Amino acid sequence: MDALQTQVFGSMQYRSGMSEPAALTLDQGGMIQDCTDAGEELFGFSRNELAQHHISLLFPQLSDTALLSNGLINSRLLFLSHCGHLFWAMDRDGEAFFSELFFSQLEYGAHPILRVIVRPSDGAPRPNA
């Protein structure tokens, strides 16, 4: 494996220690529909426990934020995610940690769904819980 491949692979190692990113699939109202295995490990919830809960269960600061505006991802969320803004996350045990979020929109029939990739930021200070 050459140096570039090693660096890219190393940058993909998340808090969970897995190479698969933690990711959530949301409906247009912000309700969690599914998550990856890495998402289960990161947050300490099974995908069944997360299903039909609002994303604010994991990201409290998103409780009053519309994820979509005019059928598209909220432009402020896109801006914040592209700037590397750290979002406060909360796991099952109530432990708070900062993470970067990356939003993408997928079409599923007539309804858009959102994919949110979560990248924990271990170097950031813990928020006050």
Side-chain angles (χ1 to χ4, degrees):
M1 186 179 294
D2 66 30
L4 178 59
Q5 287 176 324
T6 303
Q7 287 177 343
V8 170
F9 181 75
S11 70
M12 293 174 62
Q13 297 300 312
Y14 294 91
R15 183 174 183 239
S16 65
M18 300 175 70
S19 60
E20 173 192 30
L24 304 167
T25 303
L26 311 174
D27 69 11
Q28 56 192 357
M31 302 300 281
I32 300 169
Q33 302 301 304
D34 197 12
C35 74
T36 61
D37 292 343
E40 288 181 311
E41 187 174 332
L42 177 65
F43 294 107
F45 290 98
S46 73
R47 60 180 31 98
N48 291 333
E49 291 172 314
L50 288 174
Q52 300 308 314
H53 284 278
H54 193 266
I55 190 172
S56 61
L57 172 71
L58 306 174
F59 300 95
Q61 69 192 111
L62 295 179
S63 64
D64 295 327
T65 302
L67 301 178
L68 294 175
S69 177
N70 297 323
L72 299 173
I73 298 173
N74 179 321
S75 60
R76 178 157 171 75
L77 287 177
L78 283 177
F79 172 77
L80 291 173
S81 68
H82 282 96
C83 290
H85 176 79
L86 296 178
F87 291 85
W88 175 28
M90 188 81 73
D91 69 15
R92 177 187 197 112
D93 296 327
E95 183 179 340
F97 59 94
F98 281 114
S99 61
E100 293 177 87
L101 301 181
F102 304 92
F103 296 89
S104 61
Q105 185 170 338
L106 309 168
E107 295 301 323
Y108 182 72
H111 304 287
I113 57 174
L114 299 175
R115 184 78 164 167
V116 181
I117 296 175
V118 181
R119 183 169 183 243
S121 180
D122 288 331
R126 296 242 181 253
N128 296 330

